[in-house]
């Protein structure tokens, strides 16, 4: 029964197997006549009609949109086989099997084994297939179009607009910052707390512990932390309070040392810099915690700063610090660690506040510019959400559908 | 046999780590160092097996994929990092990767993190048949998102009706969110402990099923 | 320079479906894994350096450095050089697989479960409702914790329901706001790196 | 009182997490819509569909992530849905192999009998690749399903252990075009091109679901690179620590459902057992009793600690002005 053509793509049978049971069920109930027909050796199926081929939009020239006319009588058909070949070639390739219930339109070219070459003319023919795998061919149709790649993807306009808007805003504020225009930034409560905590340690004559996180220098949080460390060290240099900075990452250690040295220099007290105050502890996470906890219990610092990227060790550090009675100020963008800091520390810089604090303290124009640019984008988002809220209320009250319109404005299709 | 020894060794190292709860000790330290070495060694072996051999060495040896020499050499430049004189060469592979990775992710982040989330925040407040908890939830969700965004807005002082009240509501919403995270974090850590106890009591001692 | 060209090229690539852009992208997806495979050498190299230093200088606890170095080089040898008949190779059963399955998995799985103990200790000694905000946080945490376990349902149906409500709405709002903020933060960082404003990530390479 | 040696508290947690194993309460776990939606989705699938299970977790979180991956894997095997398995990091590769070892191990209740790729080469070359005809032919060769096994699972027909590939986000992107170019061979060195399941599902476009059981932010890669690009449905299996952060993806429809932590895994096990897909619930469900006990202990500790703190005035500090 099985003919040559069906052995070649053996997988096809598989595809058909489950459909088979469904199709048979349907046949039995709805069209007993069709089944009888199938049993006859010269049974006759209606072949599909003409094939229409269009170039698909927004592709790399490797996809064609193929649709074909459904046969007049669909009884007994449970699938269609789609064959394609380059015009002038001998062999047909079976490129797609479409179950009878599926739409008669599909995108050809997704199959990596039979790719479509851009600019090549193909011809198609489609066959109706019976349950037993017999095929009845429709006409051979030359494709009405060749596939071509497009220069621009029209489905991505919204992303493009958003991206351009974002880039323009960031660069606008970059420029503004570089021209030295002062931009307003609201005071961040954490910064006040930092100053106050330094003062407190000075009064008590006890050291200050500064943990710059345990991540690498590539982490934005670490970079932010080191900027803040510079400012803190400068203040400390003026008061001559001892500073302890243990490090976990060797590269962060070298940068931190530089930063602190520079800060003492800027404060006019390079002589007060103690080279042992910034040191490398160990790379192992829990050993690092054990080391820092030891320092906390021995030296009893008056103030602990935990600023930067933290993982599971945050809890252990903050717990010991809280027991030693120190004032603790934390800041991280690690959302899972923030709750631990909030419940154990006196003040916590939450997420972006850490970046903002660093930009604020560092006073590097471009950082502030970037922050301003991001703020502008947030303002746009906030505008949209407010509008959505208003429209939502109007929708409920007046029974309109303007919210959908607004949603469509920003919605991008799932499939590209 | 193979598995039995394995489970005993596994149980030994599990207990070695737990001994840290009592006191730091040499066996704990040994386990801690071992894991660093083994995991890096494992990563090297697997990377060779899965990437370097089938994607670089095999095609090169087969002789007609000379273009793969370019990434191969670019990759080798990483190693110059250890030779101080020419360590600047290692910037090229790092630069290539960072630049392209940043570029690839830019539009995708814009879509998934920004546009898609904005779309998600625009839900109808009420449609027929919604229970009151869901309506209240939607209102809380929209207002909460807005308020939390205000909290992270640095260009305006947190004063007045919009920014003042907004940021206050914002921090409350953020705290509720963190409370949920907090609860889940505790839950997660305990789950991991449960996993180990199942290993010790079940796989090792066969005391429980 | 490479950074900038690479970055801009890849952004544009997203919007251009044309075949040339796709070919470039295919090369990129082929090459990057190969290049990055070598990056592993960096990590291994610095590990080797740190620990051989320790051994040479007989620093504190230097003996343990052997526990890092021996498996570091031993594992690849076991996997690729030792013949199968002597327990080489990567599939089970082999010495390589044994070390992974029974030593490494055990140690790593246990490491994080240590935190269950520390959380309990911190719960008693450090989690304080010292401000209104911290109180809200702790209350939400308690409700969610009870709501997530079967015993919460015994205490009352409202517990898991309130827990889920917190998760589905206020938590969603907070996380979405953070996600938007972080999204913009990442985008800005991407731009800063592409256009060379931010250079710290080079970590002083070649300086 | 607050200065109590914390080793006593450690001991308390130790006891609380061991004792419930011996006194089985078997408290019921009710299921939530976040997990049900994954279950229902997988339940609809059959032999012509295929799913991905991505092992995106390290040994550190296997207690939470493993039951999720195993649950979905057994569900798929039960419904004859082919399963592709990937891992995004070398260590995660080992987790994938461990999951297979568990599901195929005869000591596991309700295990599946695996048939290695090479063992059914002759049948494959004879063109017998459909699941049902394959089982028939295989059993005609004199093979018998061992006692207690839930069914046959043929490597290359029912599962493909693709494993780890570096820069996994790009691998996902590449698989949207072709799985075979990203994985010319699987983790056991078998040629993927010869696998029937790969012949039927050549790219992610022909896949119906990807579950990422994840212990890191890498789960988002599936959303960014597969969901957003070709619309592949994604399901999340997340550690509890991460679970709350990903609700926005759920609500915006970027993922179809998520399992959060051991609780999520336990819910899936309950659904599997209730629907007769596995004979018994598994490790996650058993763990929930301990979870209950430990949560209660920790809540009590928080309450006691706060009472002692506010009553005893332990280390009273004046609050900072800057802080609220």
């Amino acid at each position: 029964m099985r003919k040559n053509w069906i052995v070649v793509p053996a997988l096809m049978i598989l595809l058909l197997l489950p459909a088979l049971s469904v199709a048979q069920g349907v046949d039995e109930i709805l069209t007993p006549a069709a089944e009888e027909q199938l049993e006859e050796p010269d049974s006759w199926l209606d072949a599909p009609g003409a094939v229409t081929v269009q170039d698909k939009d927004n592709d790399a020239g490797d996809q064609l949109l193929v649709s074909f006319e459904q046969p007049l009588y669909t009884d007994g058909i449970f699938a269609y086989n789609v064959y394609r070949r380059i015009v002038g070639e001998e062999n047909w390739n079976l490129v797609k099997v479409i179950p009878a219930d599926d739409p008669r339109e599909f995108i050809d070219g997704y199959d990596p084994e039979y790719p479509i070459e851009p600019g090549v003319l193909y011809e198609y023919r489609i066959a109706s297939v019976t349950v037993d795998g017999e095929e009845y061919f429709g006409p051979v149709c030359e494709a009405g179009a060749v596939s071509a790649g497009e220069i621009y993807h029209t489905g991505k306009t919204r992303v493009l607009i958003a991206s351009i808007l974002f880039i323009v805003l960031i660069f606008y504020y970059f420029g503004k910052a570089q021209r030295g225009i002062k931009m307003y930034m609201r005071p961040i409560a954490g910064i006040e707390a930092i100053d106050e905590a330094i003062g407190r340690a000075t009064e008590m004559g006890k050291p200050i512990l500064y943990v710059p996180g345990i991540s690498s220098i590539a982490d934005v949080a670490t970079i932010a932390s080191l900027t803040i460390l510079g400012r803190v060290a400068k203040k400390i240099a003026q008061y001559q309070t001892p500073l302890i900075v243990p490090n976990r990452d060797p590269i962060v250690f070298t940068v931190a040392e530089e930063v602190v040295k520079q800060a003492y220099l800027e404060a006019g007290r390079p002589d007060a810099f103690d080279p042992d105050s910034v040191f490398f502890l160990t790379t192992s996470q829990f050993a690092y915690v054990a080391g820092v906890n030891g320092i906390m219990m021995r030296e009893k610092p008056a103030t602990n700063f935990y600023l930067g990227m933290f993982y599971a060790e945050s809890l252990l550090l903050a717990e010991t610090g809280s027991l030693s009675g120190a004032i603790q100020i934390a800041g991280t963008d690690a959302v899972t660690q923030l709750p631990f800091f909030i419940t154990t520390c006196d003040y916590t810089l939450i997420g972006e506040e850490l970046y903002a604090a660093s930009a604020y303290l560092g006073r590097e124009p471009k950082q502030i510019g970037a922050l301003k640019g991001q703020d502008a984008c947030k303002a746009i988002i906030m505008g949209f959400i407010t509008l959505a809220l208003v429209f939502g209320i109007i929708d409920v009250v007046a029974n309109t559908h303007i919210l959908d319109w607004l949603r469509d404005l920003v919605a991008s299709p799932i499939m590209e | 046999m193979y598995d039995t020894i394995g489970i005993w060794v596994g149980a030994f190292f599990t207990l070695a780590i737990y001994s840290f709860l009592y006191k730091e000790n040499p066996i704990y330290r040994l386990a801690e160092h071992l894991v660093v070495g083994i995991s890096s060694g494992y990563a090297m072996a697997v990377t060779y097996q899965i990437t370097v051999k089938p994607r670089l060495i095999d095609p090169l040896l087969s002789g007609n994929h000379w273009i793969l020499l370019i990434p191969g050499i670019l990759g080798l430049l990483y190693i110059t990092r250890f030779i101080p004189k020419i360590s600047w060469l290692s910037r090229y592979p790092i630069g290539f990767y960072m630049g392209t990775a940043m570029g690839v992710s830019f539009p995708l982040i814009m879509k998934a993190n920004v546009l898609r989330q904005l779309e998600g925040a625009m839900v109808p407040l009420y449609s027929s048949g919604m229970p009151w908890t869901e309506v209240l939830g939607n209102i809380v969700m929209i207002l909460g998102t807005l308020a939390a965004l205000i909290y992270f807005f640095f260009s305006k002082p947190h004063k007045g009706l919009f920014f003042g009240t907004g940021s206050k509501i914002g921090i409350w919403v953020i705290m509720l969110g963190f409370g949920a995270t907090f609860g889940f974090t505790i839950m997660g850590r305990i789950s991991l402990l449960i996993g180990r106890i199942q290993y010790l009591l079940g796989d090792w001692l066969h005391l429980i099923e | 320079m490479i950074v900038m060209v690479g970055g801009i090229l890849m952004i544009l690539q997203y919007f251009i479906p044309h075949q040339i852009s796709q070919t470039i992208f295919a090369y990129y997806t082929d090459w990057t894994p190969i290049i990055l495979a070598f990056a592993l050498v960096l990590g291994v190299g610095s590990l080797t350096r740190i620990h051989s230093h320790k051994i040479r200088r007989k620093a504190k606890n230097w003996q343990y450095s052997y526990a890092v170095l021996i498996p570091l080089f031993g594992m690849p040898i076991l996997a690729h050089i030792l013949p199968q008949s002597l327990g080489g190779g990567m599939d089970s059963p082999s010495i390589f697989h044994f070390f992974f399955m029974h030593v490494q998995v055990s140690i790593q799985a246990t490491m994080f479960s240590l935190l269950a103990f520390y959380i309990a200790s911190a719960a008693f000694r450090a989690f304080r409702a010292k401000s209104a905000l911290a109180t809200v946080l702790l209350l939400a945490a308690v409700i969610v914790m009870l709501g997530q376990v079967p015993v919460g349902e015994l205490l009352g149906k409202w517990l898991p329901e309130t827990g889920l409500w917190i998760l589905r709405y206020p938590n969603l709002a907070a996380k979405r706001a953070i996600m938007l903020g972080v999204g913009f933060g990442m985008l800005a960082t991407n731009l800063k790196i592409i256009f060379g404003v931010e250079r710290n990530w080079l970590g002083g390479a070649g300086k | 009182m607050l200065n109590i040696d914390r080793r006593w508290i450690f001991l308390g947690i130790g006891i609380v997490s061991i004792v419930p194993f011996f006194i089985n309460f078997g408290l019921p776990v009710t299921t939530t819509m976040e997990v049900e939606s994954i279950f229902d989705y997988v339940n609809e699938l059959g032999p012509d569909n295929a799913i991905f299970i991505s092992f995106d977790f390290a040994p550190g979180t296997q207690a939470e992530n493993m039951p999720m991956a195993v649950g979905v894997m057994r569900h798929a095997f039960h419904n004859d849905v082919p399963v592709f398995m990937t891992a995004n990091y070398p260590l995660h590769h080992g987790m994938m192999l461990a999951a297979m070892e568990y599901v195929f191990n005869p000591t596991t209740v309700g295990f599946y009998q695996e048939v290695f790729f090479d063992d059914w080469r002759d049948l494959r070359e004879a063109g017998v690749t459909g699941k049902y005809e394959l089982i028939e032919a295989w059993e005609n060769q004199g093979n018998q399903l061992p006692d207690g096994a839930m069914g046959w699972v043929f490597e290359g027909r029912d599962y493909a252990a693709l494993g780890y590939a570096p820069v996994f986000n790009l691998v996902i992107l590449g698989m949207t075009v072709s799985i075979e170019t990203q994985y010319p061979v699987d983790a056991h060195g078998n040629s993927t091109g010869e696998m029937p399941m790969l012949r039927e599902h050549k790219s992610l476009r022909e896949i119906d679901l990807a579950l990422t059981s994840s212990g890191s932010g890498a789960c988002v890669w599936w959303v960014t690179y597969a969901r957003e690009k070709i619309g592949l449905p994604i399901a999340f299996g997340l550690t509890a620590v991460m679970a709350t952060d990903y609700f926005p993806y759920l609500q915006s429809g970027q993922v179809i459902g998520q399992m959060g932590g051991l609780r999520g895994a336990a819910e899936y096990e309950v659904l599997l057992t209730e629907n007769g897909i596995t004979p018994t619930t598994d490790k996650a469900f058993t763990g929930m009793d301990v979870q209950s006990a430990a949560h209660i202990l920790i809540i009590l500790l928080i309450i006691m600690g706060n009472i002692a703190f506010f009553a005893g005035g332990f280390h009273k500090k004046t609050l900072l002005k800057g802080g609220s």
Side-chain angles (χ1 to χ4, degrees), chain D residues 12-24:
Chain D
I13 272 288
I15 293 171
V16 161
S17 42
I18 289 174
V19 170
F21 276 119
F22 296 101
I23 319 162
N24 261 323

mmCIF file with all atom_site columns, all heavy atoms in Angstrom, chain D residues 12-24:
data_model
loop_
_atom_site.group_PDB
_atom_site.id
_atom_site.type_symbol
_atom_site.label_atom_id
_atom_site.label_alt_id
_atom_site.label_comp_id
_atom_site.label_asym_id
_atom_site.label_entity_id
_atom_site.label_seq_id
_atom_site.pdbx_PDB_ins_code
_atom_site.Cartn_x
_atom_site.Cartn_y
_atom_site.Cartn_z
_atom_site.occupancy
_atom_site.B_iso_or_equiv
_atom_site.pdbx_formal_charge
_atom_site.auth_seq_id
_atom_site.auth_comp_id
_atom_site.auth_asym_id
_atom_site.auth_atom_id
_atom_site.pdbx_PDB_model_num
ATOM 1  N N   . GLY D 1 12 ? 16.692 24.446 66.723 1.00 0.00 ? 12 GLY D N   1
ATOM 2  C CA  . GLY D 1 12 ? 15.230 24.471 66.601 1.00 0.00 ? 12 GLY D CA  1
ATOM 3  C C   . GLY D 1 12 ? 14.794 24.239 65.160 1.00 0.00 ? 12 GLY D C   1
ATOM 4  O O   . GLY D 1 12 ? 13.923 23.403 64.883 1.00 0.00 ? 12 GLY D O   1
ATOM 5  N N   . ILE D 1 13 ? 15.399 24.974 64.232 1.00 0.00 ? 13 ILE D N   1
ATOM 6  C CA  . ILE D 1 13 ? 15.043 24.818 62.815 1.00 0.00 ? 13 ILE D CA  1
ATOM 7  C C   . ILE D 1 13 ? 15.358 23.392 62.353 1.00 0.00 ? 13 ILE D C   1
ATOM 8  O O   . ILE D 1 13 ? 14.583 22.768 61.622 1.00 0.00 ? 13 ILE D O   1
ATOM 9  C CB  . ILE D 1 13 ? 15.816 25.852 61.965 1.00 0.00 ? 13 ILE D CB  1
ATOM 10 C CG1 . ILE D 1 13 ? 15.031 27.142 61.899 1.00 0.00 ? 13 ILE D CG1 1
ATOM 11 C CG2 . ILE D 1 13 ? 16.069 25.367 60.562 1.00 0.00 ? 13 ILE D CG2 1
ATOM 12 C CD1 . ILE D 1 13 ? 13.806 27.085 61.046 1.00 0.00 ? 13 ILE D CD1 1
ATOM 13 N N   . GLY D 1 14 ? 16.476 22.875 62.814 1.00 0.00 ? 14 GLY D N   1
ATOM 14 C CA  . GLY D 1 14 ? 16.847 21.517 62.438 1.00 0.00 ? 14 GLY D CA  1
ATOM 15 C C   . GLY D 1 14 ? 15.778 20.521 62.856 1.00 0.00 ? 14 GLY D C   1
ATOM 16 O O   . GLY D 1 14 ? 15.328 19.698 62.073 1.00 0.00 ? 14 GLY D O   1
ATOM 17 N N   . ILE D 1 15 ? 15.339 20.650 64.088 1.00 0.00 ? 15 ILE D N   1
ATOM 18 C CA  . ILE D 1 15 ? 14.329 19.718 64.601 1.00 0.00 ? 15 ILE D CA  1
ATOM 19 C C   . ILE D 1 15 ? 13.021 19.870 63.830 1.00 0.00 ? 15 ILE D C   1
ATOM 20 O O   . ILE D 1 15 ? 12.429 18.893 63.364 1.00 0.00 ? 15 ILE D O   1
ATOM 21 C CB  . ILE D 1 15 ? 14.101 19.960 66.109 1.00 0.00 ? 15 ILE D CB  1
ATOM 22 C CG1 . ILE D 1 15 ? 15.375 19.570 66.881 1.00 0.00 ? 15 ILE D CG1 1
ATOM 23 C CG2 . ILE D 1 15 ? 12.903 19.171 66.617 1.00 0.00 ? 15 ILE D CG2 1
ATOM 24 C CD1 . ILE D 1 15 ? 15.341 19.967 68.344 1.00 0.00 ? 15 ILE D CD1 1
ATOM 25 N N   . VAL D 1 16 ? 12.609 21.140 63.671 1.00 0.00 ? 16 VAL D N   1
ATOM 26 C CA  . VAL D 1 16 ? 11.329 21.382 63.007 1.00 0.00 ? 16 VAL D CA  1
ATOM 27 C C   . VAL D 1 16 ? 11.329 20.835 61.582 1.00 0.00 ? 16 VAL D C   1
ATOM 28 O O   . VAL D 1 16 ? 10.300 20.406 61.064 1.00 0.00 ? 16 VAL D O   1
ATOM 29 C CB  . VAL D 1 16 ? 11.025 22.893 63.031 1.00 0.00 ? 16 VAL D CB  1
ATOM 30 C CG1 . VAL D 1 16 ? 9.998  23.250 61.991 1.00 0.00 ? 16 VAL D CG1 1
ATOM 31 C CG2 . VAL D 1 16 ? 10.545 23.304 64.397 1.00 0.00 ? 16 VAL D CG2 1
ATOM 32 N N   . SER D 1 17 ? 12.496 20.817 60.946 1.00 0.00 ? 17 SER D N   1
ATOM 33 C CA  . SER D 1 17 ? 12.475 20.359 59.564 1.00 0.00 ? 17 SER D CA  1
ATOM 34 C C   . SER D 1 17 ? 12.747 18.861 59.438 1.00 0.00 ? 17 SER D C   1
ATOM 35 O O   . SER D 1 17 ? 12.703 18.336 58.338 1.00 0.00 ? 17 SER D O   1
ATOM 36 C CB  . SER D 1 17 ? 13.449 21.170 58.708 1.00 0.00 ? 17 SER D CB  1
ATOM 37 O OG  . SER D 1 17 ? 14.646 21.368 59.389 1.00 0.00 ? 17 SER D OG  1
ATOM 38 N N   . ILE D 1 18 ? 13.005 18.190 60.530 1.00 0.00 ? 18 ILE D N   1
ATOM 39 C CA  . ILE D 1 18 ? 13.188 16.738 60.426 1.00 0.00 ? 18 ILE D CA  1
ATOM 40 C C   . ILE D 1 18 ? 11.935 16.001 60.917 1.00 0.00 ? 18 ILE D C   1
ATOM 41 O O   . ILE D 1 18 ? 11.442 15.095 60.261 1.00 0.00 ? 18 ILE D O   1
ATOM 42 C CB  . ILE D 1 18 ? 14.429 16.292 61.237 1.00 0.00 ? 18 ILE D CB  1
ATOM 43 C CG1 . ILE D 1 18 ? 15.690 16.771 60.536 1.00 0.00 ? 18 ILE D CG1 1
ATOM 44 C CG2 . ILE D 1 18 ? 14.459 14.776 61.387 1.00 0.00 ? 18 ILE D CG2 1
ATOM 45 C CD1 . ILE D 1 18 ? 16.960 16.518 61.295 1.00 0.00 ? 18 ILE D CD1 1
ATOM 46 N N   . VAL D 1 19 ? 11.398 16.476 62.040 1.00 0.00 ? 19 VAL D N   1
ATOM 47 C CA  . VAL D 1 19 ? 10.305 15.732 62.680 1.00 0.00 ? 19 VAL D CA  1
ATOM 48 C C   . VAL D 1 19 ? 9.100  15.486 61.747 1.00 0.00 ? 19 VAL D C   1
ATOM 49 O O   . VAL D 1 19 ? 8.619  14.360 61.653 1.00 0.00 ? 19 VAL D O   1
ATOM 50 C CB  . VAL D 1 19 ? 9.886  16.441 63.983 1.00 0.00 ? 19 VAL D CB  1
ATOM 51 C CG1 . VAL D 1 19 ? 8.609  15.852 64.526 1.00 0.00 ? 19 VAL D CG1 1
ATOM 52 C CG2 . VAL D 1 19 ? 11.009 16.324 65.001 1.00 0.00 ? 19 VAL D CG2 1
ATOM 53 N N   . PRO D 1 20 ? 8.604  16.516 61.028 1.00 0.00 ? 20 PRO D N   1
ATOM 54 C CA  . PRO D 1 20 ? 7.388  16.265 60.229 1.00 0.00 ? 20 PRO D CA  1
ATOM 55 C C   . PRO D 1 20 ? 7.552  15.154 59.200 1.00 0.00 ? 20 PRO D C   1
ATOM 56 O O   . PRO D 1 20 ? 6.555  14.595 58.738 1.00 0.00 ? 20 PRO D O   1
ATOM 57 C CB  . PRO D 1 20 ? 7.143  17.602 59.535 1.00 0.00 ? 20 PRO D CB  1
ATOM 58 C CG  . PRO D 1 20 ? 7.805  18.605 60.397 1.00 0.00 ? 20 PRO D CG  1
ATOM 59 C CD  . PRO D 1 20 ? 9.004  17.918 60.954 1.00 0.00 ? 20 PRO D CD  1
ATOM 60 N N   . PHE D 1 21 ? 8.793  14.822 58.832 1.00 0.00 ? 21 PHE D N   1
ATOM 61 C CA  . PHE D 1 21 ? 8.974  13.733 57.879 1.00 0.00 ? 21 PHE D CA  1
ATOM 62 C C   . PHE D 1 21 ? 8.487  12.407 58.470 1.00 0.00 ? 21 PHE D C   1
ATOM 63 O O   . PHE D 1 21 ? 8.091  11.495 57.754 1.00 0.00 ? 21 PHE D O   1
ATOM 64 C CB  . PHE D 1 21 ? 10.444 13.599 57.490 1.00 0.00 ? 21 PHE D CB  1
ATOM 65 C CG  . PHE D 1 21 ? 10.837 14.531 56.383 1.00 0.00 ? 21 PHE D CG  1
ATOM 66 C CD1 . PHE D 1 21 ? 11.804 15.497 56.580 1.00 0.00 ? 21 PHE D CD1 1
ATOM 67 C CD2 . PHE D 1 21 ? 10.240 14.432 55.138 1.00 0.00 ? 21 PHE D CD2 1
ATOM 68 C CE1 . PHE D 1 21 ? 12.167 16.347 55.557 1.00 0.00 ? 21 PHE D CE1 1
ATOM 69 C CE2 . PHE D 1 21 ? 10.599 15.275 54.109 1.00 0.00 ? 21 PHE D CE2 1
ATOM 70 C CZ  . PHE D 1 21 ? 11.567 16.239 54.323 1.00 0.00 ? 21 PHE D CZ  1
ATOM 71 N N   . PHE D 1 22 ? 8.567  12.304 59.778 1.00 0.00 ? 22 PHE D N   1
ATOM 72 C CA  . PHE D 1 22 ? 8.194  11.037 60.407 1.00 0.00 ? 22 PHE D CA  1
ATOM 73 C C   . PHE D 1 22 ? 6.730  11.006 60.823 1.00 0.00 ? 22 PHE D C   1
ATOM 74 O O   . PHE D 1 22 ? 6.126  9.958  60.926 1.00 0.00 ? 22 PHE D O   1
ATOM 75 C CB  . PHE D 1 22 ? 9.110  10.768 61.605 1.00 0.00 ? 22 PHE D CB  1
ATOM 76 C CG  . PHE D 1 22 ? 10.541 10.586 61.180 1.00 0.00 ? 22 PHE D CG  1
ATOM 77 C CD1 . PHE D 1 22 ? 11.461 11.606 61.314 1.00 0.00 ? 22 PHE D CD1 1
ATOM 78 C CD2 . PHE D 1 22 ? 10.951 9.391  60.587 1.00 0.00 ? 22 PHE D CD2 1
ATOM 79 C CE1 . PHE D 1 22 ? 12.772 11.447 60.900 1.00 0.00 ? 22 PHE D CE1 1
ATOM 80 C CE2 . PHE D 1 22 ? 12.254 9.226  60.163 1.00 0.00 ? 22 PHE D CE2 1
ATOM 81 C CZ  . PHE D 1 22 ? 13.171 10.251 60.314 1.00 0.00 ? 22 PHE D CZ  1
ATOM 82 N N   . ILE D 1 23 ? 6.176  12.207 61.096 1.00 0.00 ? 23 ILE D N   1
ATOM 83 C CA  . ILE D 1 23 ? 4.741  12.264 61.374 1.00 0.00 ? 23 ILE D CA  1
ATOM 84 C C   . ILE D 1 23 ? 4.114  12.881 60.134 1.00 0.00 ? 23 ILE D C   1
ATOM 85 O O   . ILE D 1 23 ? 4.122  14.087 59.971 1.00 0.00 ? 23 ILE D O   1
ATOM 86 C CB  . ILE D 1 23 ? 4.436  13.195 62.572 1.00 0.00 ? 23 ILE D CB  1
ATOM 87 C CG1 . ILE D 1 23 ? 5.478  12.990 63.679 1.00 0.00 ? 23 ILE D CG1 1
ATOM 88 C CG2 . ILE D 1 23 ? 3.023  12.987 63.066 1.00 0.00 ? 23 ILE D CG2 1
ATOM 89 C CD1 . ILE D 1 23 ? 5.510  14.127 64.671 1.00 0.00 ? 23 ILE D CD1 1
ATOM 90 N N   . ASN D 1 24 ? 3.603  12.077 59.237 1.00 0.00 ? 24 ASN D N   1
ATOM 91 C CA  . ASN D 1 24 ? 3.064  12.648 58.012 1.00 0.00 ? 24 ASN D CA  1
ATOM 92 C C   . ASN D 1 24 ? 1.698  13.269 58.247 1.00 0.00 ? 24 ASN D C   1
ATOM 93 O O   . ASN D 1 24 ? 0.730  12.565 58.511 1.00 0.00 ? 24 ASN D O   1
ATOM 94 C CB  . ASN D 1 24 ? 2.960  11.565 56.943 1.00 0.00 ? 24 ASN D CB  1
ATOM 95 C CG  . ASN D 1 24 ? 4.133  11.642 56.002 1.00 0.00 ? 24 ASN D CG  1
ATOM 96 O OD1 . ASN D 1 24 ? 4.573  12.743 55.684 1.00 0.00 ? 24 ASN D OD1 1
ATOM 97 N ND2 . ASN D 1 24 ? 4.634  10.508 55.580 1.00 0.00 ? 24 ASN D ND2 1
#
